[in-house]
Amino acid sequence: MNSPTPEAIALNAAIDEQLLKTVGVARQDATSTDLMKAVAQVAREQLSERWVQTQGADRDNKARRVYYLSMEFLIGRTLSNALGALRLTDAAMQGMTDHAHTLEEIVDQEPDAALGNGGLGRLAACFLDSMANLGLPSFGYGIRYEYGMFKQKIVGGAQTELPDPWLADGTPWEFPRADISFPVRFGGWVEHIGDRAVWRHAGEVVAKAYDMVVPGYGTKKVSTLRLWKAVAPADLDLQAFNTGDYGRAAQVKNEFENISWVLYPNDSTPAGRELRLRQEYFFVAASVRDILLRHMVEHGTLDNLHDFVAMHLNDTHPAIAVAELMHVLCDEHSMPWAKAWEICQKTFSYTNHTLMPEALETWPVGLMQHVLPRHLEIILRINAEFLALAAKHRPGDNGFLARLSLIDESGERRVRMANLSVVGSHMINGVSALHSDLLVKTLFADFASLWPERFTNMTNGITPRRWLSQANPGLATLLDKNIGPDWRNHLDQLKQVEAKQDDAAFRAEFMTIKHANKRRLAALIEKTTGIKVSPDSLFDVQIKRIHEYKRQLLNVLHVIWRYQAILASPDAQWVPRVTIFAGKAASSYMSAKSIIHLIHDVGNVINNDPRIGDKLKLVFIPNYGVSVAEVIMPGADLSEQISTAGTEASGTGNMKLALNGALTIGTDDGANIEIRENVGDDNIFIFGLRTPEVQAMKQGGYQPMRLYENNPGLKAVLDAIAGGQFSPNEPGRYRGLVDALLWGGDHYMLLADYASYIETQTRVDALYAQPEAWARKAIINMANMGSFSSDRTIAQYAKEIWNIPVAP
Ligand SMILES: *Cc1c(COP(=O)(O)O)cnc(C)c1O
C-alpha cells in the first residue's frame, strides 16, 4: 500500500473537521452521504476563495462581461468536477479508501442538478465550464427551480413521471445571497403622463439570488451561475395572517412563489401557459436589474452600457429582456428612446436552436397585455419603427413586412419571440454550419436580406473536463501517458495520438479500456433493467430526448429487421449486438411515449427468445440525465445520430460519443457533417437523404406506401408491429405509429431512409468483425474531436460576438 501523500493527509483532516462541524457526525459513524457532504464542504470553501478573488479582480479591472441568459442549465453533479478543478481528485480517492469507501460511491450520493431538459440546457452548462476555464468575466443567469426535470420511471414498459425534489436535502453548492434581491412586477395597466409611460403594476414578487460557483480547470478563475428564486413580498400575507385566515395566507403566498417551482418538461413546444411567460419575465427582469446595478456601481452611467455588458439570449426564452431593457432605460432612467434602442441592439446577441415551426415560441397578444402591458407597448413600438425601416427596402411588398413583423397577424395575434430576438440583437447565430446556413435561407431569410452581416455560425461544443477527463478516467490516463495532461485545456492536442493507430500495443490498451467501460455500462444495464448483456457484443447506443425527428423509431425498425433476419438465418455469422436506448419524452407527447413503450415491448420479445441468445439484445436505460450519460458515453461502440437531414440543429451527444471512441452512424445533419469533415469519410457511417433531397422529395410528392409495398423486409417489420406481434395482449397498441408512417405522410421520412440505413448497419457489422480495423477508426475519431471542445466555441463567441479578449 502506498503511503498517503501530504495532500491526502491534509484533505483527510479537512474532511474529518467538516464531518464534525457541518455534517455533525463522528468519523467512524459517517455514511457515504455524510462523506459526500463533508468532501463537498471542503471543496466549497476553496471555491469560495476563488470566487471572491475573481469577483474582486473583475470589479477592479472594470471588466467587460458576458451575461448568458438561459431558462435551463443542465449541470448534473458538481463534486467530481469541483475536485478535478481543484486538483484534489487523487487526494480524495486516497482519503475515501481511508474512510473505507470508494470515491465513486461517495460521488454517487449527490443528486443531479437537472435544471434543464436536454441539449440546450447541457450546452449552457458546458459553456459555463468553458467560460470559467478561459477566465472570461461571465455570469450565467437562470431560475432556481425547486423541481428540476422529472424523474422517469418505467412501469409496465411505459414512461411515468415523478417529481425531482433535488433540493430536498439542500445542496452544498449554492451560496444564498441574502443581500441580493429585486422586485419583479406583473399585470396592471400603463398610464401616459406627457411623454412618460408609467406602469401601474398589479402585483409583485421578489427574486432572491442564489449563486453556484463554476470552477475553471486551467485557471484559478471561476464563473458564476446566478439563479433566482421567487418569494412572496414580506408584507403580502400579513393581512390574511392578522385576520387568522391562514389557509388564504398560504394560498396567496403560493401564487407568487410557484414561479420558480418547476421546470417545464418540454424542450420543443411552448408550454403556452401563463406561468411559463411569468417565469421567463421573472428571471430576465431580475437579471437585467442585477446587471444594470453592477454596471452603475462600476461606471456611474448607463450611457456606456454596451461597452461593458454583453447579454446573450440562449434561444428565445429570455427574449423579453429586449423589452425589459428598453423599459428600464426609458421609463426608469428617462433615456431617449432612440439612444436606448441603439444601446439595446449593441448589448444583445441571440442563438437560435431550432428551425422547426412548431418549436418557435410565440405568445398571444392578449396574454402579453394581461401579464406585461408595458412590455407589449414597447414591442409594438419597436415593431412599428422596424417595419417602417424595412418598408424602405422593398416598397409595397406586404408579404415581406408580414413575415418580418414581430406580430403574427394570421389568426389570433401573437408576438413572435424569434423576430423580437433578431431585431433586438446585433448578432444572431446558429449552432452548426448546416443549421446556420439553413437559418439565413429559410427561417430568417427576410432578416438576412436586410442585415446579412448580423448572421453567423458558432458550432456547438462540449467540455472535455466532464465528458472525457471525468467520465472516462481510463482513457484519460492513457492520454496522459502518451501526450501529457494538457489536452484538458487544449483538446486539439488529441491529434497527436492519431498516429498511434499504427501502434498495436496502443490499440490493445485503447480497446481494453473500452471493454472495461462496457463492463461498467453492462452493470448499469443490469442494475436498472435486470437484463444481462455481454460486453463482447457491439454496443449500439441512441441516447437523447425521445422525439419523432430524432427517429428512435427508425432504430427500432432496424432491430426488428435484425431479429427477423437472425430467425431466418440462425447459422449465419451474426455480430452480437446490444441496442441501447435512453431518453425522456415530454409528458404530453403521446407518439414519443408510444415509441418508449414499443422499445420495451420489442425488447421483451427479443430478450426472452431463446433462439436469439446473445446475438441481439434491446435495452432501455431509464431516467436519462447527465450522470447516466457519463456512464453510457464511454461504453459505446456505435453512436446513432439518425435525425431526418435538416432537422437536428447541431447535436452534442454525437460529439461526446465520438470523443469517447464511438463510431457514428448518422445522417448528413447538424454537426454530424462537421464530425465527418474532421474524422474523414472512411471513419464514419453516413447514410440516407441529404437536406436538399429531403426537401425535393417532399415537394415531389413523397409516397411512403410505395416503399412499403416494394420492400418485403420493411413490410415484414411494419406488419409485425401493426399486427401486434410485440403487444399480443393489445394487438392494436401501435397501429397509430405505423399508420402515421404509411397513411399519415411519414413526416420525418423514416421509410425513405430505411433501406440505406439497413445496408449501412450491415457495413457496421462487417467492420466490427475486424477488431483491429475498428480500433483504428475509433482512435481516429477520438483524435480528431479537438475542435468540438466548448473552449473553442466560447473563444469564438468571445471574439466574434461578445468582443471580450481571451488569453490564447
Ligand atoms: C448531451 C446531452 C443531451 C443532448 O443530446 P443530443 O444527442 O445532442 O440530443 C441531452 N441530454 C443530456 C443529459 C446530455 O448530456
Side-chain angles (χ1 to χ4, degrees), residues 536-595:
D536 298 325
S537 312
L538 187 167
F539 278 13
D540 173 353
V541 164
Q542 188 172 19
I543 48 174
K544 47 184 79 244
R545 289 298 295 256
I546 311 293
H547 203 293
E548 286 162 288
Y549 86 83
K550 292 176 183 280
R551 301 203 294 191
Q552 281 93 355
L553 183 54
L554 178 59
N555 190 339
V556 176
L557 299 186
H558 163 251
V559 173
I560 297 173
W561 169 84
R562 184 167 289 256
Y563 176 56
Q564 295 179 342
I566 294 171
L567 291 181
S569 317
D571 299 325
Q573 284 294 309
W574 290 100
V575 171
R577 189 185 282 236
V578 182
T579 297
I580 299 164
F581 286 96
K584 293 174 182 175
S587 47
S588 60
Y589 189 174
M590 291 309 153
S591 333
K593 289 181 129 176
S594 182
I595 291 167

Coordinates of all heavy atoms in Angstrom, one line a residue, residues 536-595:
D536 N -19.0 -8.3 -24.7 CA -18.3 -8.7 -26.0 C -19.1 -8.3 -27.2 O -18.6 -8.4 -28.3 CB -17.9 -10.1 -26.0 CG -17.0 -10.5 -24.9 OD1 -16.1 -9.7 -24.6 OD2 -17.1 -11.6 -24.3
S537 N -20.4 -7.9 -27.0 CA -21.2 -7.5 -28.1 C -20.9 -6.1 -28.6 O -20.3 -5.3 -27.8 CB -22.7 -7.5 -27.7 OG -23.0 -8.7 -27.0
L538 N -21.3 -5.8 -29.7 CA -21.3 -4.4 -30.2 C -22.3 -3.6 -29.4 O -23.5 -3.9 -29.4 CB -21.5 -4.3 -31.7 CG -21.4 -3.1 -32.5 CD1 -21.4 -3.4 -34.0 CD2 -22.4 -2.0 -32.2
F539 N -21.9 -2.5 -28.8 CA -22.8 -1.7 -28.0 C -23.3 -0.5 -28.9 O -22.5 0.4 -29.2 CB -22.2 -1.2 -26.7 CG -22.2 -2.1 -25.6 CD1 -22.6 -3.5 -25.8 CD2 -21.9 -1.7 -24.2 CE1 -22.6 -4.4 -24.7 CE2 -22.0 -2.6 -23.2 CZ -22.3 -3.9 -23.4
D540 N -24.5 -0.6 -29.3 CA -25.1 0.4 -30.3 C -26.0 1.3 -29.5 O -27.0 0.9 -28.8 CB -25.9 -0.5 -31.3 CG -26.7 0.3 -32.3 OD1 -26.8 1.5 -32.1 OD2 -27.3 -0.3 -33.2
V541 N -25.7 2.6 -29.5 CA -26.3 3.5 -28.5 C -27.0 4.7 -29.1 O -26.5 5.4 -29.9 CB -25.1 4.0 -27.6 CG1 -25.6 5.3 -26.8 CG2 -24.6 3.0 -26.6
Q542 N -28.3 4.8 -28.7 CA -29.0 6.1 -29.1 C -29.6 6.6 -27.8 O -30.6 6.1 -27.2 CB -30.1 5.8 -30.1 CG -30.7 7.1 -30.6 CD -31.7 6.9 -31.8 OE1 -32.2 5.8 -32.0 NE2 -32.0 8.0 -32.5
I543 N -29.0 7.7 -27.3 CA -29.4 8.3 -26.1 C -29.6 9.8 -26.3 O -28.7 10.6 -26.6 CB -28.3 8.1 -25.0 CG1 -26.9 8.4 -25.5 CG2 -28.4 6.6 -24.5 CD1 -25.8 8.3 -24.4
K544 N -30.8 10.3 -26.1 CA -31.2 11.7 -26.3 C -32.7 11.8 -26.0 O -33.3 10.8 -25.8 CB -30.9 12.1 -27.7 CG -31.4 11.0 -28.8 CD -31.0 11.4 -30.2 CE -29.6 11.1 -30.6 NZ -28.8 12.3 -30.9
R545 N -33.2 13.0 -26.0 CA -34.7 13.1 -25.8 C -35.4 12.3 -26.9 O -34.9 12.1 -28.0 CB -35.1 14.6 -26.0 CG -34.7 15.5 -24.8 CD -35.3 15.1 -23.5 NE -36.7 15.3 -23.6 CZ -37.4 16.3 -23.0 NH1 -36.8 17.2 -22.3 NH2 -38.7 16.3 -23.1
I546 N -36.5 11.7 -26.5 CA -37.3 10.9 -27.4 C -38.2 11.9 -28.2 O -39.0 12.6 -27.7 CB -38.2 9.9 -26.7 CG1 -37.4 9.1 -25.7 CG2 -38.9 9.0 -27.7 CD1 -36.4 8.1 -26.2
H547 N -37.9 11.9 -29.5 CA -38.6 12.8 -30.4 C -38.7 12.2 -31.8 O -37.8 11.6 -32.2 CB -37.9 14.2 -30.4 CG -38.8 15.3 -30.8 ND1 -39.4 15.4 -32.1 CD2 -39.3 16.4 -30.1 CE1 -40.1 16.5 -32.1 NE2 -40.1 17.1 -31.0
E548 N -39.9 12.5 -32.4 CA -40.0 11.9 -33.7 C -38.9 12.3 -34.7 O -38.5 11.4 -35.5 CB -41.4 12.2 -34.3 CG -42.5 11.4 -33.6 CD -43.9 12.0 -33.8 OE1 -44.1 13.1 -33.2 OE2 -44.7 11.5 -34.6
Y549 N -38.5 13.5 -34.6 CA -37.5 13.9 -35.6 C -36.1 13.2 -35.4 O -35.3 13.1 -36.3 CB -37.3 15.5 -35.7 CG -36.3 16.0 -34.7 CD1 -35.0 16.1 -34.9 CD2 -36.8 16.6 -33.4 CE1 -34.1 16.6 -34.0 CE2 -35.9 17.1 -32.5 CZ -34.6 17.1 -32.8 OH -33.7 17.7 -31.9
K550 N -35.9 12.8 -34.2 CA -34.6 12.1 -33.9 C -34.7 10.6 -34.3 O -33.7 9.9 -34.4 CB -34.3 12.2 -32.4 CG -33.9 13.6 -31.9 CD -33.7 13.7 -30.4 CE -33.4 15.1 -29.9 NZ -32.0 15.5 -30.1
R551 N -35.8 10.2 -34.6 CA -36.1 8.9 -35.3 C -35.6 7.6 -34.5 O -35.1 6.7 -35.1 CB -35.5 8.9 -36.7 CG -36.1 10.0 -37.6 CD -36.0 9.8 -39.0 NE -34.7 9.7 -39.5 CZ -34.3 9.7 -40.8 NH1 -35.3 9.8 -41.7 NH2 -33.1 9.7 -41.2
Q552 N -35.9 7.6 -33.2 CA -35.7 6.4 -32.5 C -36.4 5.2 -33.1 O -36.0 4.1 -33.1 CB -36.1 6.5 -31.0 CG -35.1 7.3 -30.1 CD -35.3 8.8 -30.0 OE1 -36.2 9.3 -30.7 NE2 -34.6 9.4 -29.2
L553 N -37.6 5.5 -33.7 CA -38.4 4.5 -34.3 C -37.7 3.8 -35.5 O -37.8 2.6 -35.7 CB -39.8 5.1 -34.8 CG -40.8 4.1 -35.4 CD1 -41.1 3.0 -34.5 CD2 -42.1 4.9 -35.8
L554 N -36.9 4.6 -36.2 CA -36.1 4.0 -37.4 C -35.1 3.0 -36.8 O -34.9 1.9 -37.4 CB -35.4 5.1 -38.1 CG -34.5 4.7 -39.3 CD1 -35.3 3.9 -40.3 CD2 -33.8 5.9 -39.9
N555 N -34.5 3.3 -35.7 CA -33.6 2.4 -35.0 C -34.4 1.1 -34.6 O -33.9 0.0 -34.8 CB -33.0 3.1 -33.8 CG -31.9 2.4 -33.1 OD1 -31.7 1.2 -33.3 ND2 -31.1 3.1 -32.3
V556 N -35.6 1.3 -34.1 CA -36.4 0.1 -33.7 C -36.7 -0.8 -34.9 O -36.6 -2.0 -34.8 CB -37.7 0.5 -33.0 CG1 -38.5 -0.7 -32.6 CG2 -37.3 1.2 -31.7
L557 N -37.0 -0.1 -36.0 CA -37.3 -0.9 -37.2 C -36.0 -1.7 -37.6 O -36.2 -2.9 -38.0 CB -37.6 0.0 -38.4 CG -38.8 0.9 -38.3 CD1 -39.1 1.7 -39.6 CD2 -40.1 0.2 -37.9
H558 N -34.9 -1.2 -37.5 CA -33.6 -2.0 -37.7 C -33.5 -3.1 -36.8 O -33.2 -4.3 -37.2 CB -32.4 -1.1 -37.7 CG -31.1 -1.9 -37.5 ND1 -30.4 -1.9 -36.4 CD2 -30.5 -2.7 -38.4 CE1 -29.4 -2.7 -36.5 NE2 -29.4 -3.2 -37.7
V559 N -33.8 -2.9 -35.5 CA -33.7 -4.0 -34.5 C -34.6 -5.1 -34.9 O -34.3 -6.3 -34.8 CB -34.0 -3.5 -33.1 CG1 -34.0 -4.6 -32.1 CG2 -32.9 -2.5 -32.7
I560 N -35.9 -4.8 -35.3 CA -36.8 -5.8 -35.7 C -36.4 -6.5 -36.9 O -36.5 -7.8 -37.1 CB -38.2 -5.2 -35.8 CG1 -38.7 -4.7 -34.5 CG2 -39.2 -6.3 -36.3 CD1 -40.0 -3.9 -34.6
W561 N -35.9 -5.8 -37.9 CA -35.3 -6.4 -39.1 C -34.2 -7.4 -38.7 O -34.2 -8.6 -39.2 CB -34.7 -5.3 -40.0 CG -33.9 -5.9 -41.1 CD1 -34.4 -6.4 -42.3 CD2 -32.5 -6.2 -41.1 NE1 -33.4 -6.9 -43.0 CE2 -32.2 -6.8 -42.3 CE3 -31.5 -6.0 -40.2 CZ2 -30.9 -7.3 -42.7 CZ3 -30.2 -6.5 -40.5 CH2 -29.9 -7.1 -41.7
R562 N -33.4 -7.0 -37.8 CA -32.3 -7.9 -37.4 C -32.8 -9.2 -36.7 O -32.4 -10.3 -36.9 CB -31.3 -7.1 -36.5 CG -30.1 -7.9 -36.0 CD -29.1 -6.9 -35.4 NE -28.5 -6.0 -36.4 CZ -27.3 -6.2 -36.9 NH1 -26.5 -7.1 -36.4 NH2 -26.9 -5.4 -37.8
Y563 N -33.8 -9.0 -35.9 CA -34.5 -10.1 -35.2 C -35.0 -11.1 -36.2 O -34.7 -12.3 -36.1 CB -35.6 -9.5 -34.3 CG -36.4 -10.6 -33.6 CD1 -35.8 -11.5 -32.7 CD2 -37.8 -10.5 -33.7 CE1 -36.6 -12.4 -32.1 CE2 -38.6 -11.5 -33.0 CZ -38.0 -12.4 -32.2 OH -38.8 -13.3 -31.6
Q564 N -35.7 -10.6 -37.2 CA -36.3 -11.5 -38.2 C -35.2 -12.1 -39.0 O -35.3 -13.3 -39.4 CB -37.3 -10.7 -39.1 CG -38.5 -10.2 -38.3 CD -39.5 -9.3 -39.1 OE1 -39.1 -8.9 -40.2 NE2 -40.7 -9.2 -38.6
A565 N -34.2 -11.4 -39.3 CA -33.1 -11.9 -40.1 C -32.3 -13.0 -39.4 O -32.0 -14.0 -40.0 CB -32.1 -10.8 -40.5
I566 N -32.1 -12.8 -38.1 CA -31.5 -13.9 -37.3 C -32.3 -15.1 -37.3 O -31.8 -16.3 -37.5 CB -31.2 -13.4 -35.9 CG1 -30.1 -12.3 -35.9 CG2 -30.6 -14.5 -35.0 CD1 -29.9 -11.6 -34.5
L567 N -33.6 -15.0 -37.1 CA -34.5 -16.1 -37.1 C -34.5 -16.9 -38.4 O -34.6 -18.1 -38.5 CB -35.9 -15.7 -36.7 CG -36.1 -15.2 -35.3 CD1 -37.6 -14.9 -35.0 CD2 -35.7 -16.3 -34.3
A568 N -34.4 -16.1 -39.5 CA -34.4 -16.7 -40.8 C -33.1 -17.4 -41.2 O -33.1 -18.3 -41.9 CB -34.7 -15.6 -41.9
S569 N -32.0 -16.8 -40.6 CA -30.6 -17.4 -40.9 C -29.9 -17.6 -39.6 O -28.9 -16.9 -39.3 CB -29.8 -16.6 -41.8 OG -30.6 -16.1 -42.9
P570 N -30.3 -18.6 -38.8 CA -29.7 -18.7 -37.4 C -28.3 -19.1 -37.5 O -27.5 -18.9 -36.5 CB -30.6 -19.8 -36.8 CG -31.3 -20.5 -37.8 CD -31.5 -19.5 -39.0
D571 N -27.8 -19.7 -38.6 CA -26.5 -20.2 -38.6 C -25.5 -19.2 -39.2 O -24.3 -19.5 -39.3 CB -26.4 -21.5 -39.3 CG -27.2 -22.6 -38.6 OD1 -27.3 -22.5 -37.3 OD2 -27.9 -23.4 -39.3
A572 N -26.0 -18.1 -39.7 CA -25.1 -17.0 -40.2 C -24.2 -16.5 -39.1 O -24.5 -16.6 -37.9 CB -25.9 -15.9 -40.9
Q573 N -23.1 -15.9 -39.5 CA -22.1 -15.3 -38.6 C -22.6 -13.9 -38.1 O -22.1 -12.9 -38.5 CB -20.7 -15.2 -39.2 CG -20.0 -16.5 -39.4 CD -19.6 -17.1 -38.1 OE1 -19.0 -16.4 -37.2 NE2 -20.0 -18.3 -37.8
W574 N -23.5 -13.9 -37.2 CA -24.1 -12.6 -36.7 C -23.1 -12.0 -35.7 O -22.6 -12.6 -34.8 CB -25.4 -12.8 -36.0 CG -26.5 -13.2 -37.0 CD1 -27.0 -14.4 -37.3 CD2 -27.1 -12.3 -37.9 NE1 -27.9 -14.4 -38.3 CE2 -28.0 -13.1 -38.7 CE3 -27.0 -10.9 -38.1 CZ2 -28.8 -12.5 -39.7 CZ3 -27.8 -10.4 -39.1 CH2 -28.7 -11.1 -39.9
V575 N -22.8 -10.7 -35.9 CA -22.1 -9.9 -34.9 C -23.0 -9.7 -33.8 O -24.0 -9.0 -34.0 CB -21.5 -8.6 -35.6 CG1 -20.9 -7.8 -34.5 CG2 -20.5 -8.9 -36.7
P576 N -22.7 -10.2 -32.6 CA -23.6 -9.9 -31.5 C -23.7 -8.4 -31.2 O -22.8 -7.7 -31.2 CB -23.0 -10.7 -30.3 CG -21.6 -10.9 -30.7 CD -21.5 -10.9 -32.2
R577 N -25.0 -8.0 -30.9 CA -25.2 -6.6 -30.8 C -26.2 -6.3 -29.6 O -27.1 -7.1 -29.4 CB -25.8 -6.0 -32.1 CG -25.9 -4.5 -32.1 CD -26.6 -4.1 -33.4 NE -25.8 -4.1 -34.6 CZ -25.6 -3.0 -35.4 NH1 -26.1 -1.8 -35.1 NH2 -24.9 -3.2 -36.5
V578 N -25.9 -5.3 -28.9 CA -26.8 -4.8 -27.8 C -27.3 -3.4 -28.3 O -26.4 -2.5 -28.4 CB -26.2 -4.7 -26.4 CG1 -27.3 -4.2 -25.4 CG2 -25.6 -6.0 -26.0
T579 N -28.5 -3.2 -28.6 CA -29.0 -1.9 -28.9 C -29.5 -1.2 -27.6 O -30.4 -1.8 -26.9 CB -30.1 -1.9 -30.0 OG1 -29.6 -2.5 -31.2 CG2 -30.7 -0.5 -30.3
I580 N -29.0 0.0 -27.3 CA -29.2 0.6 -26.0 C -29.9 2.0 -26.3 O -29.4 2.8 -27.1 CB -27.9 0.9 -25.3 CG1 -27.2 -0.5 -25.0 CG2 -28.1 1.7 -24.0 CD1 -25.7 -0.4 -24.6
F581 N -31.0 2.2 -25.7 CA -31.7 3.4 -25.7 C -31.8 4.1 -24.3 O -31.8 3.4 -23.3 CB -33.2 3.3 -26.1 CG -33.4 3.0 -27.6 CD1 -33.6 1.7 -28.0 CD2 -33.5 4.0 -28.5 CE1 -33.8 1.4 -29.4 CE2 -33.7 3.7 -29.9 CZ -33.8 2.4 -30.3
A582 N -31.8 5.4 -24.3 CA -32.2 6.1 -23.1 C -32.7 7.4 -23.5 O -32.2 8.0 -24.5 CB -31.0 6.3 -22.1
G583 N -33.6 8.0 -22.8 CA -34.2 9.3 -23.1 C -35.5 9.5 -22.5 O -36.3 8.5 -22.3
K584 N -35.9 10.8 -22.3 CA -37.2 11.1 -21.8 C -38.1 11.6 -22.9 O -37.6 12.3 -23.8 CB -37.1 12.1 -20.6 CG -36.4 11.5 -19.4 CD -36.1 12.6 -18.3 CE -35.3 11.9 -17.2 NZ -34.9 12.9 -16.1
A585 N -39.4 11.4 -22.8 CA -40.4 12.0 -23.7 C -41.1 13.1 -22.9 O -41.4 12.9 -21.7 CB -41.3 10.9 -24.2
A586 N -41.4 14.2 -23.5 CA -42.2 15.2 -22.8 C -43.5 14.5 -22.4 O -44.1 13.7 -23.1 CB -42.5 16.3 -23.8
S587 N -44.0 14.9 -21.2 CA -45.1 14.1 -20.6 C -46.4 14.2 -21.5 O -47.2 13.2 -21.4 CB -45.4 14.6 -19.2 OG -45.5 16.0 -19.2
S588 N -46.6 15.2 -22.3 CA -47.8 15.3 -23.1 C -47.6 14.8 -24.5 O -48.5 14.9 -25.4 CB -48.3 16.7 -23.1 OG -47.2 17.5 -23.7
Y589 N -46.4 14.3 -24.8 CA -46.1 13.9 -26.2 C -46.4 12.4 -26.4 O -45.5 11.6 -26.2 CB -44.6 14.2 -26.4 CG -44.0 14.2 -27.8 CD1 -42.7 14.6 -28.1 CD2 -44.8 13.7 -28.9 CE1 -42.2 14.5 -29.3 CE2 -44.3 13.7 -30.2 CZ -43.0 14.1 -30.4 OH -42.4 14.0 -31.7
M590 N -47.6 12.2 -26.9 CA -48.1 10.8 -26.9 C -47.3 9.9 -27.9 O -47.0 8.7 -27.6 CB -49.6 10.8 -27.3 CG -50.4 11.4 -26.2 SD -50.0 10.6 -24.6 CE -50.5 11.9 -23.4
S591 N -46.9 10.4 -29.1 CA -46.2 9.5 -30.0 C -44.8 9.1 -29.4 O -44.4 8.0 -29.6 CB -46.0 10.1 -31.4 OG -47.0 11.0 -31.6
A592 N -44.2 10.1 -28.8 CA -42.9 9.8 -28.2 C -43.0 8.7 -27.1 O -42.2 7.8 -27.0 CB -42.2 11.1 -27.7
K593 N -44.1 8.9 -26.3 CA -44.3 7.9 -25.2 C -44.6 6.5 -25.8 O -44.2 5.5 -25.2 CB -45.4 8.4 -24.3 CG -45.0 9.5 -23.5 CD -46.1 10.0 -22.5 CE -45.6 10.1 -21.1 NZ -46.7 10.6 -20.2
S594 N -45.3 6.5 -26.9 CA -45.6 5.3 -27.6 C -44.4 4.6 -28.1 O -44.2 3.3 -28.0 CB -46.6 5.5 -28.7 OG -47.0 4.4 -29.3
I595 N -43.4 5.3 -28.5 CA -42.1 4.8 -29.0 C -41.4 4.1 -27.8 O -40.8 3.0 -28.0 CB -41.3 5.8 -29.7 CG1 -42.0 6.2 -31.1 CG2 -39.9 5.4 -30.0 CD1 -41.4 7.5 -31.7

